[in-house]
Structures are given as C-alpha cells and as structure tokens.
Amino acid sequence: MESETIAAELPNLFPDRKVGVVFLRELNYIYQNLFIVYFLTCLMTGIIGGVLYWTLEYLTLLYGEL
C-alpha cells in the first residue's frame, strides 16, 4: 500500500472525520519535532566526534604515540 493511500484512508477510520484529521495533524506535529531532535542530536554527535578525532590526530603528530 502506498503512503498516499494510507494517509487518505486513515481519517475515515475514526468515528468523526474531523476528530481523525485533528488527531493526525497533532501526531504529525509530534513526529516532526522528534525527527528534528534526533537529527540535531546526530549532527552534534558527528561534529563533536570529528573535532575530537582531529584533535587526537593533531596531538599524535605533535607528540608521537600517546
């Protein structure tokens, strides 16, 4: 099943279509925020890891094996 078909049929499963649309809109908002937090956490982890790796490589070149 395609995502467009699922998204179109899902509000019809609720007794009141308006309630279903509001519920799905709020659920979408929650998942968008969770994705943003996850993405920013991964980005920060990658940047910190890259800086630490570069620092250790630089110190190894300066002082030899640690």
Side-chain angles (χ1 to χ4, degrees):
M1 223 179 219
E2 295 183 26
S3 61
E4 295 96 22
T5 328
I6 294 172
E9 291 296 321
L10 208 52
N12 296 329
L13 297 176
F14 293 95
D16 183 13
R17 181 172 168 76
K18 195 177 205 179
V19 172
V21 170
V22 170
F23 173 73
L24 291 176
R25 191 176 302 133
E26 290 177 3
L27 198 60
N28 187 36
Y29 179 73
I30 291 169
Y31 278 108
Q32 283 179 346
N33 286 334
L34 286 174
F35 174 77
I36 290 170
V37 168
Y38 177 73
F39 178 76
L40 291 177
T41 302
C42 291
L43 186 66
M44 288 173 49
T45 303
I47 290 171
I48 292 170
V51 168
L52 289 175
Y53 178 78
W54 178 81
T55 304
L56 287 174
E57 284 291 317
Y58 181 72
L59 290 176
T60 303
L61 287 175
L62 266 174
Y63 301 111
E65 290 295 320
L66 296 175

